[in-house]
Amino acid sequence: MVFFYLIGALCVASAVAKAYFDTKKAVKQEFIAKLLASVSFMFCAVYAIYNNPQSMQYGIFILCALIFGTIGDILLCLDGFFTEAPDYHKFFNTTGTAIFFIGHVMYMALLFVYAPISRTPFLLLAMPVLPLIMLALILSGKITLPKLQSYLMVIYFAVAGGVIIGAVSFLLNSGGAAVGWIVLAASVLFAFSDCFLGLFHYCPALKISEKVAPYIVMPTYCIAQVLYALSIYYIAM
């Protein structure tokens, strides 16, 4: 496990470096740091699967979600190279967001497969919370996105909330086992990172500092991904 934690630490360190280069507008260095962070958390998943082969099915599902996240990360980082080419910038941004969204859906689906919501149906009462917050921001005029994209963000927030609900269900069904708490922590950090990023970019009324936001978004996201990978090690133990 020492090797796992070393790779996890490298991932988080790379995330902090990515945040630093983001604040300095150093696009190439930012891209390299983000790529290293993504490769690191994928390696964590592979290492966890190798050390706990009983978790193969669960682990591969997590690894696939991490891969979609990595591809989305790369595309979203590439758009920074095309700020003077609007069509390419839009393509990388839109495609990256869509692929990243697939990773979210995979996490939500995985959690509901391993902890069917039919066992904890009362949790569905919390499903509207995040999308309703987003909808309130849209209706208040605080969101800068075009109308269609604004309402797509409602769906994005709904899935982020679904990931947290799935994680709570997972924890309850695990009987409070360590893996349940790991997955819950990962899911909360994952959803928080996404929501914070969305509000930072598209809700200027909140006045989130450009110098502070990168140090919140990327590290919390990478810690979440490392924790998802760590859950592979514990899932069948």
Side-chain angles (χ1 to χ4, degrees):
M1 284 300 291
V2 174
F3 188 67
F4 179 98
Y5 292 130
L6 288 174
I7 298 299
L10 174 62
C11 177
V12 177
S14 300
V16 174
K18 189 269 179 191
Y20 172 78
F21 291 128
D22 188 1
T23 61
K24 299 298 181 182
K25 307 300 180 185
V27 178
K28 291 181 181 178
Q29 293 89 335
E30 181 189 355
F31 176 77
I32 292 169
K34 193 170 191 179
L35 184 61
L36 180 58
S38 297
V39 170
S40 297
F41 62 60
M42 284 197 300
F43 194 85
C44 283
V46 172
Y47 185 78
I49 294 170
Y50 176 78
N51 282 276
N52 184 19
Q54 300 160 287
S55 68
M56 182 67 71
Q57 184 178 11
Y58 174 90
I60 289 176
F61 215 118
I62 289 284
L63 182 59
C64 287
L66 292 174
I67 289 171
F68 274 103
T70 297
I71 295 171
D73 285 343
I74 292 171
L75 292 173
L76 287 171
C77 222
L78 282 174
D79 72 355
F81 290 94
F82 297 96
T83 53
E84 297 181 5
D87 289 342
Y88 286 105
H89 179 80
K90 183 178 180 181
F91 169 78
F92 285 119
N93 190 277
T94 303
T95 307
T97 301
I99 292 175
F100 197 68
F101 179 74
I102 293 173
H104 285 60
V105 173
M106 290 189 71
Y107 277 133
M108 186 173 69
L110 173 68
L111 294 172
F112 286 146
V113 165
Y114 277 81
I117 197 66
S118 59
R119 298 176 188 169
T120 51
F122 60 91
L123 292 174
L124 291 175
L125 295 173
M127 183 67 88
V129 174
L130 283 180
L132 282 176
I133 291 173
M134 185 63 185
L135 184 60
L137 289 170
I138 292 170
L139 296 176
S140 69
K142 297 182 185 299
I143 298 295
T144 58
L145 280 168
K147 183 176 289 187
L148 175 60
Q149 289 177 295
S150 294
Y151 288 106
L152 287 175
M153 283 289 287
V154 174
I155 298 174
Y156 204 103
F157 271 48
V159 172
V163 171
I164 295 177
I165 290 169
V168 174
S169 182
F170 188 93
L171 171 65
L172 294 175
N173 280 277
S174 74
V179 67
W181 289 106
I182 291 169
V183 167
L184 179 60
S187 300
V188 170
L189 287 171
F190 193 62
F192 170 79
S193 177
D194 268 0
C195 293
F196 189 89
L197 178 63
L199 294 175
F200 167 62
H201 278 300
Y202 306 120
C203 190
L206 293 178
K207 297 180 181 179
I208 300 171
S209 171
E210 292 184 359
K211 298 296 183 181
V212 174
Y215 287 101
I216 296 175
V217 173
M218 194 63 187
T220 52
Y221 163 71
C222 283
I223 292 171
Q225 299 288 52
V226 171
L227 287 174
Y228 276 128
L230 181 62
S231 73
I232 299 169
Y233 185 79
Y234 287 98
I235 187 68
M237 299 182 72

